[in-house]
């Protein structure tokens, strides 16, 4: 018997719906829902242990996976089983995690797992836009301590009109692709890419998405009420001691304030703060420290945070002595690495990124194979964050989710400025060498310069800046180019990238409730001023893309050939193309245009002579002589009945020059007129209707000798009784021979 099912439907306003259902699947989880739109179905389950973990943070794991069966496909690779998550899945996990995590109580440390699975796919529905809704709806049906329902929505804009959760096809026409996460009261997360939009347009897009999210949050509340809202579980809260907190605040606040105001470097400041912390701990006995556990450290950091925030709000000063809108000193350099196709260093304060560019063919494109999307990227960026960049020693266990997320942000910032007709596959790699605030934005800046150094003709240079916000009541301060410490103690961390004409990408995490759109727009405008300042520094270093790629970098030529010539260029078993690549020291890639079915030939090589040789071979294969035209040829083979000649302009294209077409006079031996290697002109007559072969003539362009008489053409008419065609069954006698034909005996006597 099918259990009772509870269901709520969300109307998207344009004929599309999203349904949230519970009661049928995964009932042993602490909360489970199925979210469906069209044929797309997500199953989300949530579980949280009832015992607190022995850690001082929330061990929350958000896992998003797409099942290949959902789209009727097999997993690629040797092992036909879903394995490690793809970058696309990791990015969706991050989007959901960033909205959920702040809504759990700060003292809730039970291990918690949110699992979202794509069970059925619909080409017209992008599942990542519903993952946040599914996670929050499942939590609402559980007994977790969770502040309020949230949801996420994608917003696009087509022809000036905003649209919620557009299809992938609609996104191709949209100038905005933003994901917004929010509760009914507050926007909490924004991430996306844009085509150079203004700050006001970005704020309008966020508002539009927030209105749709409010409806989705209300639907979750109704579903939980219908299902039966569970009592929130009890858990062991962290120990608190207000008297101890006040005591430590009084001991540390002024000292921290003074050090923060001194404007020292990261390591000096960290060492000074550590000294104050040790002094505070030294004021307690060993028994007290053992009794208080980690409270002393906790309250010290609380006092430290309060002092630094107050310094900024009261005096407009920051930890390194800068004003709120001041950018740290910047220096840049391009062409630093001699062997790469392009390279650049960007250093801003204590943050440094070294970017490299590698150019390749379509064979090097990044293949994306997900159940919800198959395709390839001809421009992609990878971001590496080694532990030495922050002065730490720790094991490296593969690419972290953070590295995937920051690399994706920088890629989205730059990709719109790479021309559509760029023939190369372009890979940018950012190596973060120092980090104290926004290495992802340093990656955008170094990536821009490295691309220009490599000769990629960027439409416009792109810069990026990380911003912060500190607010208390009616007072607030927007911080430009934040430090790592300011990232942790602020109320908003947002990164904005763009050209001189508008925003190309953003990533925001808003920690304060009810942030007004006025403050948001003001913060974005201050970010624009800082972004333009940084852009000026980039342009001072390299004003425009290099006119050509470097001498040691591969040159790329693309040639389109008709479909019927693809086989000839490849050759039997690939013999022709392999020998051509070896002889010319080039890489040749042939793709077929899915629409025109023409062959798109990519020729990559460092030697222009080799590229020219490949082009000549292609021209040769595609050579089609025109009837009536004269061509220069070379004799390449001598035969009894003629000479085989090769077109000089199309090596490899051969044609027979019959002995009868060598000269006006009768030719007994071919070598009497031409020899091997001779070069001369011939006239092309097309396909001879009698022999069905191409016909060329040397004699046709030679002057006719004086007094020359041509033989009369053979008469093939059927009414000529002497013709061979006129022979019938009754006309086969010897007496029917032509009168002018001499007897065999007479011929022998001659």
């Amino acid at each position: 018997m099918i259990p009772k099912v509870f269901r709520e439907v969300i109307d998207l306003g344009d004929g599309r719906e999203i349904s949230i259902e519970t009661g049928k699947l995964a009932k042993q989880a602490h909360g489970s829902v199925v979210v469906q739109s069209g044929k797309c179905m997500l199953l989300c389950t949530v579980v949280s242990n009832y015992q607190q973990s022995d850690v001082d943070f929330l061990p929350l794991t958000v896992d998003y996976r797409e099942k290949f069966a959902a789209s009727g496909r097999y997993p690629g690779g040797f092992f036909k089983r879903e394995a490690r998550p793809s970058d696309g899945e990791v990015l969706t996990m991050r989007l959901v995690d960033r909205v959920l995590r702040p809504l759990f109580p700060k003292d809730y440390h039970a291990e918690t797992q949110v699992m979202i699975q794509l069970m059925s796919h619909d080409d017209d529905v992008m599942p990542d836009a519903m993952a946040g809704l599914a996670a929050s709806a499942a939590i609402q049906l559980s007994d977790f301590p969770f502040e309020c329902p949230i949801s996420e929505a994608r917003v696009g804009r087509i022809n000036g009109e905003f649209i919620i959760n557009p299809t992938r096809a609609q996104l191709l026409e949209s100038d905005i692709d933003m994901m917004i996460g929010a509760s009914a009261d507050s926007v909490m997360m924004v991430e996306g890419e844009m085509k150079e939009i203004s700050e006001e347009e970005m704020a309008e897009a966020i508002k539009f998405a927030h209105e749709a999210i409010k409806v989705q949050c209300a639907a979750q509340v109704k579903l939980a009420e219908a299902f039966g809202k569970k009592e929130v579980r009890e858990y062991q809260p962290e120990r608190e001691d207000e008297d101890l907190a006040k005591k430590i605040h009084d001991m540390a606040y002024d000292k921290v304030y003074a050090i923060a105001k001194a404007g020292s470097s990261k390591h000096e400041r960290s060492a000074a703060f550590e000294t104050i912390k040790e002094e505070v701990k030294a004021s307690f006995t060993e028994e007290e420290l053992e009794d208080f556990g980690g409270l002393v450290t906790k309250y010290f950091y609380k006092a430290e945070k309060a002092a630094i925030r107050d310094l900024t709000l009261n005096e407009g000063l920051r930890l390194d002595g800068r004003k709120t809108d001041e950018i740290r000193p910047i220096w840049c350099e391009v062409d630093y690495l001699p062997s790469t196709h392009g390279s650049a260093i960007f250093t801003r304060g204590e943050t440094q990124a070294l970017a490299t560019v590698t150019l390749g063919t379509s064979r090097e494109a990044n293949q994306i194979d997900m159940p919800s999307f198959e395709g390839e990227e001809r421009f992609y960026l990878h971001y590496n964050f080694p532990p030495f960049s922050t002065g730490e020693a720790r094991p490296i266990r593969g690419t972290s989710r953070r590295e995937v997320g920051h690399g994706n942000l920088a890629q989205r910032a730059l990709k719109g400025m790479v021309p559509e007709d760029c023939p190369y596959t372009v890979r940018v790699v950012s190596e973060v060498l120092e980090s104290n605030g926004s290495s992802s934005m340093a990656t955008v800046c170094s990536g821009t310069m490295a691309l220009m150094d490599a000769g990629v003709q960027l439409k416009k240079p792109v810069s990026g800046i990380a911003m912060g916000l500190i607010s208390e009541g009616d007072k607030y301060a927007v911080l430009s180019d934040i430090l790592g410490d300011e990232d942790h103690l602020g109320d908003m961390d947002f990164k904005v990238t763009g050209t001189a004409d508008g925003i190309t990408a953003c990533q925001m995490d808003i920690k304060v409730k009810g942030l007004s759109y006025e403050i948001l727009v003001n913060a974005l405008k201050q970010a624009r001023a800082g972004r333009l300042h940084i852009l000026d520094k980039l342009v001072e270093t390299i004003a425009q893309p290099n006119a050509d790629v470097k001498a040691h970098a591969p040159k790329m030529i693309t040639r389109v050939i008709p479909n019927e010539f693809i086989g000839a260029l490849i050759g039997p078993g690939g013999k022709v193309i392999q020998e051509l690549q070896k002889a010319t020291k080039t890489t040749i890639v042939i793709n077929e245009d899915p629409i025109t079915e023409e062959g798109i030939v990519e020729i990559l090589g460092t030697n222009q002579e080799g590229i020219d040789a490949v082009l000549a071979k292609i021209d040769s294969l595609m050579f089609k002589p025109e009837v009536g035209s004269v061509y220069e040829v070379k004799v390449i083979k001598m035969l009894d009945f003629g000479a085989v000649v090769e077109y000089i302009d199309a090596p490899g294209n051969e044609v027979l020059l019959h002995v009868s077409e060598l000269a006006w006079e009768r030719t007994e031996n071919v070598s009497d007129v031409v020899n091997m290697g001779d070069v001369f002109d011939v006239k092309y007559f097309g396909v001879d209707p009698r022999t069905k072969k191409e016909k060329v003539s040397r004699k046709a362009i030679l002057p006719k000798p004086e007094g020359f008489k041509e033989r009369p053409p053979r008469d093939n008419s059927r009414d000529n009784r002497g013709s061979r065609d006129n022979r019938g069954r009754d006309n086969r006698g010897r007496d029917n021979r032509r009168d002018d034909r001499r007897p065999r005996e007479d011929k022998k006597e001659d």
Side-chain angles (χ1 to χ4, degrees):
M1 178 179 177
I2 298 176
K4 183 178 180 180
V5 174
F6 299 87
R7 192 167 184 264
E8 281 294 327
V9 177
I10 301 165
D11 185 0
L12 294 180
D14 56 1
R16 294 176 299 150
E17 295 180 340
I18 300 176
S19 67
I20 317 172
E21 180 183 288
T22 190
K24 185 181 290 186
L25 303 182
K27 292 191 292 181
Q28 291 194 48
H30 295 163
S32 68
V33 295
V34 173
V35 174
Q36 181 171 357
S37 181
K39 293 185 290 185
C40 177
M41 298 175 69
L42 294 174
L43 168 65
C44 179
T45 58
V46 296
V47 174
S48 185
N49 291 343
Y50 284 93
Q51 298 296 322
Q52 291 273 68
S53 299
D54 188 21
V55 293
D56 61 353
F57 61 91
L58 171 64
L60 169 66
T61 301
V62 175
D63 196 77
Y64 171 80
R65 299 299 177 98
E66 296 185 353
K67 307 298 182 181
F68 277 87
S71 57
R73 294 174 50 216
Y74 285 91
F78 186 78
F79 295 103
K80 300 302 179 184
R81 184 186 182 113
E82 291 85 355
R84 62 179 296 275
S86 66
D87 283 0
E89 289 168 319
V90 168
L91 294 171
T92 302
M93 297 174 197
R94 283 174 52 84
L95 287 173
V96 177
D97 186 297
R98 285 160 50 200
V99 185
L100 295 184
R101 191 175 293 273
L103 296 179
F104 284 92
K106 294 188 182 300
D107 60 353
Y108 186 68
H109 300 156
E111 186 167 354
T112 303
Q113 189 174 50
V114 177
M115 294 191 66
I116 310 164
Q117 304 178 62
L118 175 67
M119 309 302 288
S120 176
H121 176 57
D122 186 331
D123 288 336
D124 291 329
V125 179
M126 296 184 69
D128 58 342
M130 302 191 301
L133 169 63
S136 177
I139 292 174
Q140 295 308 303
L141 301 176
S142 73
D143 61 350
F144 299 177
F146 194 75
E147 188 172 321
C148 61
I150 60 93
S151 190
E152 294 177 344
R154 173 177 273 108
V155 60
R157 187 175 66 173
I158 302 174
N159 298 325
E161 296 292 326
F162 291 118
I163 181 172
I164 288 294
N165 292 356
T167 65
R168 197 176 295 277
Q170 287 174 321
L171 276 183
L172 297 177
E173 305 174 41
S174 175
D175 62 352
I176 294 175
D177 177 9
M178 288 172 57
M179 192 79 81
I180 289 87
S183 66
D185 299 325
S186 302
V187 174
M188 306 169 67
M189 185 276 300
V190 179
E191 182 162 328
E193 61 186 89
M194 311 88 181
K195 295 180 180 178
E196 298 182 280
I197 67 172
S198 68
E199 288 73 15
E200 291 80 4
E201 288 174 310
M202 181 173 164
E204 287 300 316
I206 296 172
K207 285 182 183 179
F208 182 80
H210 194 194
E211 291 304 314
I213 288 172
K214 291 177 183 179
V215 177
Q216 297 178 16
C217 290
Q220 295 176 53
V221 174
K222 289 176 66 177
L223 180 67
E225 291 174 349
F227 179 75
K229 182 68 175 175
K230 297 178 182 178
E231 290 292 328
V232 176
R233 68 173 62 177
E234 293 185 1
Y235 65 94
Q236 184 64 40
E238 289 182 349
R239 181 182 176 186
E240 297 290 346
D241 189 325
E242 292 185 6
D243 292 337
L244 179 63
K246 185 178 185 307
K247 178 180 178 180
I248 293 175
H249 181 276
D250 293 342
M251 293 172 62
Y253 180 89
D254 291 338
K255 294 179 181 179
V256 170
Y257 195 99
I259 292 172
K261 190 174 180 178
S264 53
S265 68
K266 175 183 177 180
H267 291 294
E268 292 174 349
R269 187 169 61 247
S270 298
F273 287 156
E274 187 66 24
T275 299
I276 298 173
K277 186 176 77 170
E278 292 303 317
E279 290 175 357
V280 170
K281 292 174 71 174
S283 66
F284 295 92
T285 64
E286 290 186 11
E287 292 78 9
E288 288 175 322
L289 289 175
E290 187 175 346
D291 182 45
F292 293 137
L295 287 181
V296 173
T297 301
K298 174 184 173 180
Y299 291 145
F300 172 78
Y301 287 134
K302 188 175 180 180
E304 179 184 57
K305 179 178 178 179
I308 297 170
R309 286 171 62 92
D310 288 347
L311 173 68
T312 302
L313 288 173
N314 296 336
E315 303 188 42
L317 294 177
R318 300 163 64 180
L319 285 169
D320 56 357
R322 285 181 292 149
K323 297 178 181 178
T324 56
D325 60 351
E326 194 173 345
I327 311 297
R328 286 174 288 178
I330 294 171
W331 67 264
C332 313
E333 183 179 340
V334 296
D335 198 22
Y336 177 72
L337 300 173
S339 296
T340 62
H341 298 166
S343 64
I345 304 171
F346 176 83
T347 307
R348 184 192 59 239
E350 296 169 302
T351 297
Q352 185 178 74
L354 169 62
T356 59
V357 171
T358 308
L359 306 175
T361 67
S362 59
R363 191 178 294 163
E364 281 71 52
N366 185 33
Q367 301 298 322
I368 301 174
D369 184 23
M370 296 175 62
S372 62
F373 179 66
E374 291 180 273
E376 64 178 26
E377 293 175 328
R378 293 290 297 269
F379 172 79
Y380 51 99
L381 186 150
H382 293 149
Y383 164 102
N384 296 318
F385 191 85
F388 68 77
S389 64
T390 55
E392 298 175 277
R394 52 180 168 78
I396 299 175
R397 306 191 188 283
T399 305
S400 68
R401 292 186 178 186
R402 180 182 182 278
E403 288 173 309
V404 173
H406 283 335
N408 179 69
L409 174 61
Q411 177 176 322
R412 299 177 89 178
L414 293 170
K415 73 176 185 180
M417 292 300 113
V418 177
E420 291 78 6
D421 60 355
C422 177
Y424 295 99
T425 290
V426 182
R427 181 186 185 226
V428 180
V429 179
S430 172
E431 305 290 347
V432 178
L433 307 181
E434 294 182 54
S435 180
N436 183 18
S438 193
S439 53
S440 63
M441 296 298 94
T443 292
V444 172
C445 297
S446 61
T448 291
M449 293 187 294
L451 287 165
M452 295 168 74
D453 179 54
V456 177
Q457 302 302 304
L458 286 186
K459 300 173 187 176
K460 301 170 188 174
V462 181
S463 64
I465 189 171
M467 306 291 291
L469 174 73
I470 296 176
S471 62
E472 199 70 52
D474 295 333
K475 297 172 64 177
Y476 73 91
V478 178
L479 311 181
S480 298
D481 180 23
I482 58 174
L483 303 170
D485 291 338
E486 292 171 332
D487 185 0
H488 301 299
L489 60 85
D491 298 323
M492 178 167 66
D493 165 30
F494 64 107
K495 304 175 180 70
V496 189
T497 72
T499 68
D501 298 320
I503 299 171
T504 60
C506 74
Q507 184 182 91
M508 295 187 184
D509 290 299
I510 302 169
K511 308 166 191 175
V512 62
K513 295 180 184 178
L515 179 71
S516 72
Y517 285 98
E518 179 184 356
I519 294 177
L520 178 62
V521 171
N522 288 341
L524 287 170
K525 286 183 177 179
Q526 184 171 319
R528 182 176 187 275
R531 200 177 73 235
L532 294 179
H533 169 80
I534 296 171
L535 191 60
D536 288 341
K537 298 293 183 182
L538 306 186
V539 175
E540 285 177 12
T541 305
I542 180 167
Q544 57 189 12
N546 290 331
D548 201 358
V549 299
K550 298 182 185 298
H552 62 273
K555 286 77 177 171
M556 170 80 86
I557 299 293
T558 302
R559 178 65 62 85
V560 178
I561 64 174
N563 180 277
E564 62 264 28
F565 295 108
I566 296 177
L569 181 57
I570 294 174
K575 182 179 180 181
V576 173
I577 195 170
Q578 289 172 8
E579 290 181 351
L580 188 59
Q581 289 182 108
K582 184 177 180 180
T584 61
K585 296 182 180 179
T586 60
T587 299
I588 306 171
V589 179
I590 305 175
N591 297 308
E592 189 173 22
D593 190 297
I595 299 175
T596 65
E597 295 187 350
E598 292 178 310
I600 302 173
V601 184
E602 299 175 1
I603 310 160
L604 191 82
T606 56
N607 189 332
Q608 188 62 46
E609 292 181 2
I611 295 175
D612 291 340
V614 177
L615 292 173
K617 178 65 174 178
I618 294 173
D619 290 339
S620 173
L621 290 173
M622 295 174 58
F623 177 73
K624 289 184 177 181
E626 296 182 3
V627 175
S629 296
V630 175
Y631 297 95
E632 191 176 29
V633 297
K634 178 180 179 180
V635 178
I636 60 171
K637 188 182 295 185
M638 301 287 285
L639 302 172
D640 291 341
F641 50 87
V644 178
V645 296
E646 179 184 65
Y647 293 99
I648 296 295
D649 291 338
N653 278 268
E654 305 169 0
V655 65
L656 174 67
L657 174 60
H658 194 267
V659 63
S660 63
E661 298 296 334
L662 285 171
W664 289 103
E665 299 84 354
R666 179 178 177 84
T667 303
E668 295 293 340
N669 297 306
V670 176
S671 58
D672 292 342
V673 181
V674 296
N675 291 294
M676 280 288 294
D678 285 357
V679 176
F680 49 84
D681 290 341
V682 296
K683 188 173 183 179
Y684 181 75
F685 286 93
V687 177
D688 189 321
R690 185 171 61 85
T691 64
K692 308 300 181 184
K693 295 182 179 179
E694 290 184 300
K695 178 181 177 181
V696 293
S697 174
R698 176 177 178 269
K699 75 178 185 181
I701 57 176
L702 296 175
K704 188 181 294 187
E706 186 175 349
F708 177 81
K709 291 184 179 180
E710 289 187 79
R711 287 183 180 181
R714 179 180 293 171
D715 187 358
N716 292 328
S717 62
R718 290 187 175 274
D719 59 352
N720 185 346
R721 296 179 61 86
S723 70
R724 296 177 64 89
D725 291 340
N726 215 23
R727 292 178 182 177
R729 184 176 297 273
D730 298 332
N731 296 321
R732 294 180 180 176
R734 298 180 64 87
D735 295 339
N736 203 35
R737 294 176 179 172
R738 297 200 313 266
D739 293 339
D740 61 347
R741 186 168 182 175
R742 298 171 62 182
R744 187 181 302 271
E745 291 76 14
D746 295 343
K747 187 174 182 181
K748 288 181 180 179
E749 291 177 3
D750 293 342

